[in-house]
Amino acid sequence: MQLWRFVLVHVCMGLVMTVTVNGEGPTKSTGNRSIDTVVMTAIRSRKGIHLGNYRIGREVLVKVHVKNSTGLSLNLRSIDPDCGCLAVVPEQRSLEPDGTLSLALRLASSNKVANVRRSIRLFFQESAVPFVLDVDVQITGPLGLDQTTMRLVDPDSKFDVSGQIHELGGKIQRVESVRGSFVTIGSVVQAPEAFRFIAKPTFSFGDAEDLVRVHYLDPSAQAQIVDLPILLRYTTPVRFLPSTLNLHQRGTRWVGITRMIVVRGKLKVPLEQLRFVLDAESNPGKLSPRVAVQVRAVSSIMSKVEVVITEGEQHAGHDGVMIQARFPRRLVVRGSRSQVVGILNLVRNGEE
C-alpha cells in the first residue's frame, strides 16, 4: 500500500507543495524535515498547519506531529489523503494519551504558483468520524499575476492580463490557457520586471477557474513552464441558455425562444422591471428593427423568453438602391439604472 502511494506521488499531475525549514526549499531531497506539532483535542475535529513559502518544482519530504490531547488511548485505523500527489506514512499506529503521532508527508512537485491546501483524514478504531488535518503551503515562482480574478461583462470583449517578473532572467516565449477558458490575442509584451498579454473568453457566462501556462527560457536557455492560477468571472446576473439565440423567420419577423437564468442573490430588481434593448447601429434615414420580449417564469431562477424582432422598412438611397438598417447581433438586458445585467447574442437562421 505504501509503495503504491509513493508511485502515485511521481505520476500525479495535481496541486503541489514544496517545503523546507528556511522557506526557500532544498535543491534536492535530504530527508524528512520536522514541522511544529498539531494538538488534537478531539477526534471529531479539524486542525490546520501552514508550512510557509516554498519554491515550485521540488518534491517535499516533511514530518508533521499530532499530539493526542483527547485523554484516550487511540489506535490508528487508516489514513486518507485527498490527492494521490500526497503520500502519508505514520511512524506508529498506537497513540497513548499525551503521546505524539509522527506522520511522514511526501508531496509531489509541480509548476503551479499558488496557495495550496491538502487535507488528510485520520481514522481511529475508537471513532467512526475522522480527525482532519489541513496542510497549507504557499508556492512561489519566478512570475506572478497582478490580478488573479478577471471580471467580465461581455463575451465579445477582450481583457488584459498583466504580471510581475520576479527572477526570470530569460525570455517569455508564449502563454496559453490550460483548461481552455480563454484564447490569447497577439504575443506577450515583456519588460524587465513585467509582462502583459491580451485574451478573450471562450465561454459566455458563469465562472471558470483556469491556469495561465507561461512557456519561457531561463537564463541558461533551458525551456521552462510555470502555471499561474486565474479566475474568469462574469458579473452579469442574467444569463441565457443557449447564449446565442437562433432566430427563425416568420414573414417580416424573426422569432426565437431561449431560457433565461437569474443568478441567485445577484439580481437586485424584479423581472418585470428589466428592459430588453437591441444593440443595433443607428443610421440616419433607416428604420431600426423593433423587439418584443415575453418572459414567463418557470422557477425562481429560470424563465422562458420569447424574442420577436420586426425588421425596419427598406428605403431608397441616393443612388436608388434599397437600403435597410443592419440587423442587431445582440439583445442587451438592462436594470433599473440602465446597467447591463445580461447579454443575448442573436443570429438569423442560416447565418454563421
Side-chain angles (χ1 to χ4, degrees):
M1 182 65 177
Q2 293 181 8
L3 175 60
W4 174 240
R5 287 188 181 277
F6 280 105
V7 170
L8 284 176
V9 169
H10 293 282
V11 300
C12 177
M13 299 300 292
L15 301 178
V16 180
M17 292 186 274
T18 45
V19 177
T20 75
V21 169
N22 61 18
E24 281 302 320
T27 56
K28 60 181 180 179
S29 298
T30 57
N32 291 38
R33 299 191 174 216
S34 185
I35 300 298
D36 291 341
T37 299
V38 175
V39 179
M40 179 177 59
T41 57
I43 298 179
R44 188 171 185 171
S45 61
R46 191 174 201 133
K47 295 286 185 176
I49 185 170
H50 202 290
L51 304 180
N53 299 333
Y54 306 106
R55 181 72 181 178
I56 63 170
R58 292 172 185 164
E59 186 183 64
V60 176
L61 296 175
V62 63
K63 187 177 290 186
V64 174
H65 309 289
V66 180
K67 183 178 180 180
N68 177 18
S69 294
T70 65
L72 304 172
S73 295
L74 301 176
N75 294 280
L76 186 63
R77 174 161 47 98
S78 63
I79 300 177
D80 181 24
D82 67 349
C83 178
C85 59
L86 170 61
V88 184
V89 179
E91 289 193 353
Q92 74 274 9
R93 293 279 174 175
S94 299
L95 188 57
E96 297 300 320
D98 294 324
T100 299
L101 172 65
S102 296
L103 303 172
L105 275 59
R106 188 169 186 167
L107 304 129
S109 62
S110 173
N111 297 314
K112 184 176 180 180
V113 176
N115 185 69
V116 176
R117 169 170 291 185
R118 293 266 67 91
S119 296
I120 306 166
R121 297 195 299 171
L122 304 177
F123 290 91
F124 296 92
Q125 299 287 358
E126 292 71 21
S127 175
V129 296
F131 170 73
V132 181
L133 177 62
D134 294 320
V135 180
D136 287 273
V137 64
Q138 179 68 47
I139 306 301
T140 63
L143 303 173
L145 295 181
D146 292 330
Q147 185 178 352
T148 57
T149 299
M150 309 302 297
R151 302 187 181 280
L152 311 174
V153 176
D154 186 349
D156 293 329
S157 63
K158 304 171 186 177
F159 61 92
D160 289 351
V161 180
S162 59
Q164 318 93 35
I165 298 177
H166 304 304
E167 52 185 78
L168 186 60
K171 179 176 178 56
I172 296 176
Q173 295 180 299
R174 71 180 191 279
V175 298
E176 62 185 357
S177 164
V178 173
R179 296 166 187 164
S181 67
F182 65 88
V183 292
T184 58
I185 300 174
S187 57
V188 182
V189 178
Q190 180 179 346
E193 297 182 353
F195 67 96
R196 174 179 173 270
F197 65 92
I198 300 173
K200 182 178 179 179
T202 58
F203 65 109
S204 58
F205 64 89
D207 299 342
E209 294 183 357
D210 205 339
L211 296 171
V212 177
R213 175 157 291 174
V214 183
H215 299 259
Y216 67 95
L217 297 177
D218 65 16
S220 61
Q222 296 294 315
Q224 305 288 349
I225 290 176
V226 61
D227 291 334
L228 307 174
I230 190 170
L231 173 64
L232 306 185
R233 169 168 290 167
Y234 278 95
T235 58
T236 48
V238 172
R239 302 163 186 171
F240 292 94
L241 295 176
S243 58
T244 297
L245 178 59
N246 194 349
L247 298 167
H248 299 271
Q249 190 172 19
R250 295 179 185 173
T252 60
R253 301 186 304 166
W254 292 88
V255 181
I257 297 177
T258 186
R259 290 171 294 171
M260 184 174 72
I261 308 297
V262 176
V263 181
R264 196 182 301 274
K266 285 190 176 182
L267 186 63
K268 306 302 181 183
V269 298
L271 289 179
E272 57 268 20
Q273 293 185 16
L274 296 178
R275 295 188 299 113
F276 296 84
V277 182
L278 291 176
D279 187 11
E281 295 182 2
S282 177
N283 294 297
K286 300 178 184 179
L287 293 179
S288 298
R290 301 186 305 276
V291 63
V293 177
Q294 289 187 346
V295 179
R296 182 171 64 87
V298 176
S299 67
S300 60
I301 63 171
M302 187 177 74
S303 300
K304 277 192 174 181
V305 177
E306 182 182 33
V307 179
V308 179
I309 297 176
T310 303
E311 293 188 272
E313 296 179 2
Q314 293 183 337
H315 292 271
H318 297 296
D319 54 1
V321 177
M322 300 301 292
I323 57 177
Q324 188 174 11
R326 187 187 299 265
F327 193 84
R329 293 304 178 190
R330 302 192 310 174
L331 180 66
V332 179
V333 187
R334 296 188 179 274
S336 57
R337 299 188 304 275
S338 294
Q339 74 276 22
V340 176
V341 297
I343 295 174
L344 175 63
N345 296 316
L346 303 174
V347 62
R348 288 181 290 187
N349 189 30
E351 294 180 336
E352 294 293 334

